[in-house]
């Protein structure tokens, strides 16, 4: 009976270990920090949901939030402090009309989906208003937030549907939007509003079932030698007209000129400069195009042509796929513009798209006004010939594709859905500038990535922003306060991007190679390098050199651990299974005394506070898998014989620029006892081990399931199912590709 019980318990042990190991497979960011360990501020109220827009007001110290039926103002320094709230609900008449048209009561609310600052200090706010979009103006003055009573038509500025994707940008007091302009959400238009309204032509070759992502402005007029007109870029996905597959969706970037006012006769009040090209981010399976999810424009004020578009992508999965990979690609502004100077595609008589081989009209189609054109008498799009405008009308698609700056993604992760991205610039102690990427996922985790020249990208750490798995729909960074703000449907979080407290030792601080952080020699802690002097801090971003760490950092610290609380009846039994830390010679890592039963598979845990790979050694020799040894990411399964008694050491292994760094996590002084001496006590041992390991792995699996909840589909509605966080890719930190 005892033998049967032992066999069952050992089998349970193996099942739990294998399940836990499979859940932990795949390379990960260097460190994963769960919600309870992240230093953040959380805003959440019982009647607060339907978060639809978010705007950082650095000038007034407020975070403005558009939600269902209201706009809130939170303190930018502490979002748990709500300073103002303005109600903006729908009338009963509008709600009745909306519901009569077949929409649900919930969808017939007013979701404030747009908040933009204006030059006069006011804010433009637009909401869905029971599928009848409306806009108004907000004023924040003297600490009070008020809304004007006058309401404008919001059609084409925000969608009718509270969940449909759209994009908008405010340039001074001029609004650019890419949104549906009809109740069914089928008429998608990219337009500029205001005194000189202008929009896209209603042609399938211009926009074909698009999903709008982002609009960005590149200010070139005052920064280029020939004073070219400023460029406006639209990022979107659409069904490709040039591909044989009728359902194939591709990522696109389109460009128009800021001063475009349409043509005199042809393309009246239509963009005369609208050109589009494929946006490539090569990863995943061949034949599965990647779909852009979000774009952040990082401007280089010294050289605008060196400015970068950072974009998140997910692969386009086949119908049989359960989920997709995600990646981050970066594109140089000069490379994007170069594609719009290339060859055009044209539609053939058979309906296919081929390279245009004829003569291109002068002026080059889609050109933005510059000094050369002005000297020739073309000072406005109204001066363009009908020949040029007709060519643009029928040839909006470029042959070339925009490739990422490195020719490949900066980061790739498997079975993960990236949602939003923001990028910060930080100056390290050596005066170099580095780009830090903050990437949200549909499972509520934030990836903190670094791109170092010559090395590619890597994920320094990932942070769980919400207790429950939910998509991150909004990410904004305050340059004034160094705070990052993230929003889900019913909650907003705030955290400092310069928090270095998770690096608890000098070695950990320097090996993480986090550009925000350095080791403070005077205070003996990892701290933000902003404003620090070279004399008081050390940093090694290039190669993770820990040679400058003080020796005191390497001293052993004795901790205490209690694995089992079961009280055993006999003194001999308690001696056999006791696990306590014993003192070791000065300067050496303390070890744990462990008594194991011969011939019984038992587990020695090793749980570092990072996701680095571990290595086991026995009496100074590196252990290899064998008949009696199974090496796992979270421990070692050993079926010992009498010759296996000795000192077992678990270390993390980190390689930086060809240099290997090892840090001891735990050491076990193992003694092996003959299992025949007290078979009943051994059964108790195995039972205790199974119970302890079982609880540990069940906890890990449950936590992993919350973290790894798979969900693919619409970025607004279906994404609420969550996303998978089982990581993949190659290279250090589980990020390189």
């Amino acid at each position: 009976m005892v033998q049967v019980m032992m066999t069952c318990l050992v089998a349970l042990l193996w099942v739990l270990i294998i399940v836990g190991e499979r859940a932990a497979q795949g390379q990960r960011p260097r460190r994963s920090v769960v919600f309870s360990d992240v230093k953040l501020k959380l805003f959440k109220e019982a009647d607060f949901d339907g978060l639809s827009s978010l705007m950082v007001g650095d000038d007034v110290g407020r975070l403005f939030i558009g939600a269902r039926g209201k706009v809130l103002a939170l303190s930018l320094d502490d979002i748990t402090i709500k300073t103002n709230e303005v109600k903006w609900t729908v009338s009963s008449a509008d709600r009745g009309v909306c519901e009569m048209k077949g929409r649900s009561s919930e969808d017939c609310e007013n979701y404030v989906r747009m908040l933009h600052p204006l030059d006069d200090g006011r804010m433009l706010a637009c909401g869905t208003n029971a599928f009848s979009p409306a806009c108004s103006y907000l004023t924040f003055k003297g600490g009070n937030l008020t809304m004007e009573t006058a309401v404008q038509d919001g059609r084409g500025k925000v969608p009718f549907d509270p969940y449909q994707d759209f994009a908008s940008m405010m340039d001074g007091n001029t609004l650019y939007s890419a949104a549906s302009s009809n109740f069914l959400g089928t008429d998608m238009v990219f337009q500029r509003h205001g005194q000189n309204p202008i929009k896209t032509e209603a042609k399938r070759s211009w926009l074909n079932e698009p999903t709008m992502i982002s609009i960005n402005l590149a200010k070139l007029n005052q920064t280029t030698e020939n004073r070219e007109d400023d460029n406006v870029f639209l990022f979107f996905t659409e069904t490709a007209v040039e591909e044989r597959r009728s359902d194939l969706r591709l990522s696109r970037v389109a460009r128009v000129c800021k001063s475009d006012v349409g043509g005199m006769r042809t393309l009246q009040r239509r963009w005369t400069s609208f050109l589009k090209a494929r946006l490539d981010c090569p990863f995943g399976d061949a034949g599965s195009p990647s779909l852009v999810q979000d774009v952040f424009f990082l401007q280089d004020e010294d050289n605008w042509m060196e400015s970068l578009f950072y974009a998140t992508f997910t692969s386009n999965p086949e119908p049989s796929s359960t989920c997709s990979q995600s990646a981050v690609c970066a594109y140089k502004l000069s490379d994007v513009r170069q594609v719009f100077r290339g060859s055009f595609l044209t539609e053939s008589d058979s309906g296919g798209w081929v390279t245009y081989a004829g003569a291109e009209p002068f002026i080059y189609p889609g050109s933005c006004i510059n000094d050369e054109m002005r000297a020739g008498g073309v000072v406005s799009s109204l001066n363009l010939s009908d020949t040029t405008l007709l060519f643009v009308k029928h040839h909006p698609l470029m042959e070339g594709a925009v490739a990422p700056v490195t020719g490949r993604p900066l980061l790739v992760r498997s079975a993960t859905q990236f949602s939003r991205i923001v990028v910060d610039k930080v100056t390290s102690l050596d005066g170099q500038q580095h780009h830090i990427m903050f990437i949200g996922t549909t499972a509520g985790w934030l990836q903190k990535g670094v791109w170092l020249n010559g090395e590619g990208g890597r994920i320094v750490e990932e942070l769980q922003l919400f207790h429950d798995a939910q998509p991150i729909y909004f990410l904004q960074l305050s340059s004034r306060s160094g705070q990052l703000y993230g929003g889900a449907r019913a909650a907003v979080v705030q955290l400092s991007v310069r928090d270095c407290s998770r690096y608890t030792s000098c070695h950990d601080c320097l090996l993480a190679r986090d550009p925000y952080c350095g080791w403070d020699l005077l205070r003996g802690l990892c701290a933000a390098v902003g404003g620090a002097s070279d004399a008081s801090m050390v940093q090694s971003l290039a190669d993770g050199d820990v040679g400058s760490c003080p020796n005191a950092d390497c001293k052993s610290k004795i901790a205490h651990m209690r694995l089992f609380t079961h009280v055993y009846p006999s003194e001999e039994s308690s001696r056999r299974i006791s696990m306590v830390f014993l003192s070791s010679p000065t300067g050496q890592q303390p070890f744990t005394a462990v008594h194991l039963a011969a011939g019984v598979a038992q587990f020695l845990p090793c749980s570092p506070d990072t996701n680095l790979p571990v290595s086991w050694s026995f009496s100074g020799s590196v252990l290899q898998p064998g008949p009696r040894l199974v090496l796992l990411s979270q421990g070692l399964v050993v079926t010992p014989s009498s010759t296996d008694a000795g000192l077992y050491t678990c270390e993390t292994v980190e390689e930086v620029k060809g240099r290997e760094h090892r840090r001891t996590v735990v050491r076990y002084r193992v003694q092996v006892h003959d299992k025949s001496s007290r078979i009943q006590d051994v059964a108790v041992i195995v039972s205790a081990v199974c119970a302890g390991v079982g609880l540990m792995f069940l906890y890990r699996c449950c936590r992993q399931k919350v973290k790894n909840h798979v969900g693919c589909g619409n970025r607004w509605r279906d994404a609420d199912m969550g996303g998978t966080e089982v990581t993949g890719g190659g290279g250090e930190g589980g990020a390189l590709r």
Side-chain angles (χ1 to χ4, degrees):
M1 182 66 180
V2 172
Q3 188 65 37
V4 172
M5 182 184 70
M6 289 176 60
T7 303
C8 292
L9 289 171
V10 172
L12 172 63
L13 168 66
W14 277 99
V15 169
L16 291 170
I17 289 175
I18 292 172
V19 169
E21 188 65 15
R22 286 179 178 173
Q25 281 179 354
Q27 295 180 341
R28 299 179 179 180
R30 189 176 185 273
R31 175 181 271 106
S32 299
V33 186
V34 297
F35 176 78
S36 59
D37 295 331
V38 180
K39 294 181 179 179
L40 55 76
K41 292 181 173 65
L42 174 70
F43 174 81
K44 187 174 183 179
E45 289 184 336
D47 60 344
F48 173 72
D49 64 354
L51 174 62
S52 306
S53 55
L54 188 148
M55 189 190 92
V56 171
D58 271 325
D59 54 337
V60 294
R62 293 294 185 273
L63 181 69
F64 297 100
I65 298 170
R68 183 169 68 172
K70 64 177 71 174
V71 177
L72 294 81
L74 311 179
S75 169
L76 204 58
D77 297 323
D78 185 353
I79 64 169
T80 63
I81 301 174
K82 182 174 71 173
T83 61
N84 299 96
E85 177 178 317
V86 172
K87 298 287 187 182
W88 191 11
T89 58
V90 299
S91 66
S92 57
D94 288 340
R95 184 192 301 276
V97 172
C98 178
E99 294 180 0
M100 186 176 63
K101 292 181 178 180
R103 301 296 177 173
S104 68
S105 176
E106 182 179 350
D107 289 352
C108 289
E109 299 279 0
N110 183 31
Y111 292 82
V112 183
R113 298 204 59 189
M114 179 194 294
L115 289 172
H116 282 304
L118 303 175
D119 282 347
D120 59 9
R122 296 182 300 169
M123 290 173 282
L124 175 65
C126 297
T128 56
N129 192 44
F131 275 74
S132 179
C135 296
S136 185
Y137 294 99
L138 292 166
T139 302
F140 185 81
K141 184 178 294 185
N144 295 318
L145 181 66
T146 57
M147 176 175 285
E148 296 182 5
T149 56
V151 176
Q152 305 173 359
D153 186 359
R155 284 180 295 179
K157 298 177 181 178
V158 294
F160 287 63
D161 190 322
Y163 302 103
Q164 188 176 34
D165 288 299
F166 83 109
S168 65
M169 179 196 73
M170 185 67 71
D171 176 34
N173 291 329
T174 302
L175 175 67
Y176 292 79
S177 69
S180 61
S181 58
N182 64 339
F183 184 88
L184 296 177
T186 55
D187 184 16
M188 304 298 291
V189 181
F190 171 41
Q191 58 189 319
R192 183 185 66 219
H193 306 265
Q195 293 182 345
N196 296 303
I198 189 172
K199 62 182 181 179
T200 44
E201 181 76 353
K203 283 177 64 69
R204 179 171 170 266
S205 59
W206 283 46
L207 294 172
N208 187 25
E209 300 176 345
T211 297
M212 304 303 189
I213 302 298
S214 176
I215 304 174
N216 299 272
L217 172 66
K219 298 180 180 179
L220 303 178
N221 185 258
Q222 302 299 322
T223 57
T224 53
E225 293 182 0
N226 61 359
R227 293 195 307 125
E228 180 182 331
D229 187 20
D230 293 343
N231 289 187
V232 179
F233 294 94
L234 168 68
F235 293 85
F236 60 103
T237 65
E238 68 171 348
T239 302
V241 294
E242 74 274 23
E243 297 290 338
R244 293 183 179 180
R245 279 179 49 189
S246 60
D247 63 340
L248 182 64
R249 295 190 67 82
L250 295 177
S251 296
R252 302 283 199 203
V253 55
R255 187 220 61 190
V256 296
C257 308
K258 175 180 173 180
S259 299
D260 193 339
V261 292
M264 180 64 72
R265 290 174 297 274
T266 304
L267 293 179
Q268 291 183 2
R269 293 203 170 186
R270 300 293 188 269
W271 296 109
T272 66
S273 53
F274 181 88
L275 299 176
K276 65 179 182 179
R278 191 172 75 250
L279 190 68
D280 277 353
C281 184
F283 69 98
D285 298 331
S288 295
S290 51
L291 299 182
V292 61
Q293 303 296 303
D294 193 28
V295 177
F296 184 88
F297 186 41
L298 187 66
Q299 302 172 3
D300 189 326
E301 303 293 347
D302 298 326
N303 185 353
W304 270 84
M305 291 303 175
E306 295 297 312
S307 299
L308 291 169
F309 296 98
Y310 282 86
T312 55
F313 290 81
T314 61
S315 63
N316 188 10
E318 296 297 327
S320 59
S321 300
T322 58
C323 203
S324 59
Q325 286 185 311
S326 287
V328 175
C329 279
Y331 306 89
K332 191 177 293 186
L333 175 59
S334 58
D335 293 339
V336 177
R337 284 166 41 81
Q338 186 63 35
V339 171
F340 291 115
R341 297 294 298 178
S343 300
F344 295 87
L345 291 180
T346 187
E347 190 172 11
S348 65
D349 294 337
S350 62
W353 286 75
V354 297
T355 303
Y356 178 76
E360 296 162 352
F362 181 83
I363 296 169
Y364 187 85
S367 296
C368 293
I369 306 297
N370 57 31
D371 281 345
E372 182 181 355
M373 295 169 64
R374 296 183 187 100
V378 180
V379 297
S380 165
S381 61
L382 295 173
N383 303 129
L384 296 172
S385 68
D386 286 340
T387 302
T388 296
L389 297 180
L390 284 171
F391 188 93
V392 171
K393 181 176 180 178
H394 299 296
H395 301 85
L397 183 58
M398 309 305 297
E399 179 186 42
V402 182
V405 290
T406 58
R408 59 183 181 178
L410 302 179
L411 301 172
V412 174
R413 294 199 64 183
S414 297
T416 298
Q417 282 192 303
F418 289 162
S419 54
R420 304 302 184 197
I421 182 171
V422 295
V423 184
D424 192 20
K425 288 189 289 190
V426 59
T427 303
S428 55
L429 290 177
D430 60 6
Q432 298 294 316
Q433 273 202 341
H434 302 276
H435 296 176
I436 314 295
M437 298 169 280
F438 296 96
I439 309 154
T441 75
T442 55
W445 286 72
L446 181 74
Q447 318 286 310
K448 181 180 180 182
V450 180
W451 176 24
L452 297 177
N453 289 332
E455 186 179 344
R458 59 190 179 86
I459 300 180
V460 176
E461 61 181 0
E462 61 175 358
L463 312 174
Q464 187 182 17
L465 298 191
F466 303 99
H467 183 269
D468 301 318
Q470 51 189 309
I472 297 174
Y473 290 123
F474 302 96
L475 276 181
Q476 287 202 27
L477 185 66
S478 168
S479 56
R480 178 185 68 84
S481 63
Q483 300 287 308
L484 183 70
Y485 304 91
R489 277 282 180 254
V492 184
V493 295
Q494 169 193 352
L495 68 157
S496 171
V497 298
R498 303 163 187 162
D499 181 13
C500 303
S501 62
R502 284 182 290 274
Y503 308 125
T504 56
S505 69
C506 181
H507 283 72
D508 190 30
C509 183
L510 299 191
L511 287 175
R513 295 187 295 154
D514 185 337
Y516 285 117
C517 303
W519 187 257
D520 191 320
L521 296 170
L522 298 180
R523 293 185 293 168
L525 52 80
C526 195
V529 298
S533 66
D534 294 349
S536 64
M537 300 196 76
V538 291
Q539 195 179 45
S540 181
L541 301 181
D543 54 11
D545 184 7
V546 296
S548 55
C549 285
N551 293 331
D553 185 59
C554 303
K555 290 184 178 180
S556 299
K557 298 179 181 179
I558 298 178
H560 297 278
M561 176 176 67
R562 183 167 183 168
L563 295 182
F564 308 116
T565 58
H566 187 84
V567 178
Y568 300 101
S570 72
E571 181 180 352
E572 184 179 357
S573 297
S574 63
R575 285 200 304 270
R576 283 187 177 180
I577 64 171
S578 62
M579 287 189 175
V580 294
F581 276 114
L582 302 179
S583 300
S584 60
T586 303
Q588 295 183 9
Q589 179 78 15
F591 58 80
T592 303
V594 181
H595 298 255
L596 303 181
V600 178
Q602 289 148 102
F603 183 66
L604 299 179
C606 177
S607 299
D609 60 358
T610 63
N611 295 323
L612 297 171
V614 299
S615 173
W616 284 86
S617 62
F618 172 63
S619 298
S621 299
V622 176
L623 285 178
Q624 301 295 335
R628 299 196 306 273
L629 294 173
V630 179
L631 278 64
L632 304 171
S633 62
Q634 294 295 315
L636 175 69
V637 177
V638 56
T639 308
S641 67
S642 58
T643 60
D644 294 317
L647 186 63
Y648 290 77
T649 302
C650 176
E651 300 174 303
T652 57
V653 183
E654 186 169 15
E655 186 173 318
V656 180
K657 295 295 183 66
R659 192 182 312 179
E660 188 176 81
H661 301 270
R662 289 177 173 265
R663 298 284 289 173
T664 299
V665 179
V666 65
R667 302 168 80 216
Y668 296 100
R669 174 71 68 183
V670 173
Q671 297 183 27
V672 181
H673 296 270
D674 186 355
K675 67 178 181 179
S676 62
S677 60
R678 280 184 179 261
I679 193 67
Q680 188 171 1
D681 288 344
V682 172
V684 173
I685 296 173
V686 177
S687 177
V689 171
C690 284
V693 174
L695 288 173
M696 179 182 70
F697 274 106
L698 285 175
Y699 167 76
R700 287 180 57 82
C701 290
C702 290
R703 190 179 69 176
Q704 192 77 9
K705 286 180 180 178
V706 171
K707 175 182 171 184
N708 295 353
H709 187 192
V710 178
C712 300
N714 182 279
R715 297 190 311 127
W716 278 91
R717 180 165 283 169
D718 294 341
D720 286 335
M721 295 171 61
T724 307
E725 288 293 318
V726 178
T727 59
E732 184 181 352
L736 276 174
R737 174 79 183 207

